[in-house]
Amino acid sequence: MSIDYWAVGTLDITPPVPLAALRELLDSPYAPLAIAPKGTTEDEAKKMDGEWFAVAADDAGTDDQGHPTTIGAVIVNHDGRSFTALERLRRLAACCAADTEFDGEVLLEGEAGDTGFIAQTEEGDLYLWWD
């Protein structure tokens, strides 16, 4: 039996990542990364259609299609397996430069009451800790 988890949180991305680098995640058939306007909060994202949001960087310009040129954060509001959230965030990190920092955490709460969080380690990896 698998246990489902609710994953919610925001990771700020420094330096912002070019939108083009996230193309694989934007076009994913499973829970695609949706583009959210600058300044979108977790509460606002909960009202939007989707579970994974790429938030435009504060200083992002726009391309010829009106999309932001850079992404400064990712907001997660996802139901699924814990390893799914971790794997998607690691795929995000793989699209970024090696020196990219992810500030914040994604909290996990399981249907059985267990909790944990995903955050960046001092070594720069994204890791899942259980409480």
Side-chain angles (χ1 to χ4, degrees), residues 12-27:
D12 293 319
I13 304 170
T14 306
V17 62
L19 180 65
L22 302 177
R23 184 60 50 204
E24 173 191 339
L25 299 175
L26 292 165
D27 297 337

Side-chain angles (χ1 to χ4, degrees), residues 4 8 23 45 78 91 98 101 106 110 118:
D4 281 338
V8 63
R23 184 60 50 204
H78 173 79
R91 287 179 53 210
E101 293 184 17
V106 173
I118 299 169

Side-chain angles (χ1 to χ4, degrees), residues 38-97:
K38 296 176 190 176
T40 299
T41 66
E42 287 179 28
D43 288 337
E44 292 167 337
K46 288 177 185 176
K47 299 173 188 170
M48 299 168 68
D49 185 30
E51 296 182 341
W52 296 84
F53 300 94
V55 181
D58 289 338
D59 60 352
T62 55
D63 63 17
D64 58 351
Q65 296 178 340
H67 297 131
T69 54
T70 55
I71 299 300
V74 63
I75 296 175
V76 179
N77 184 24
H78 173 79
D79 286 323
R81 309 288 187 256
S82 60
F83 65 84
T84 303
L86 178 60
E87 181 58 31
R88 292 238 342 137
L89 291 171
R90 285 183 172 165
R91 287 179 53 210
L92 169 73
C95 296
C96 299

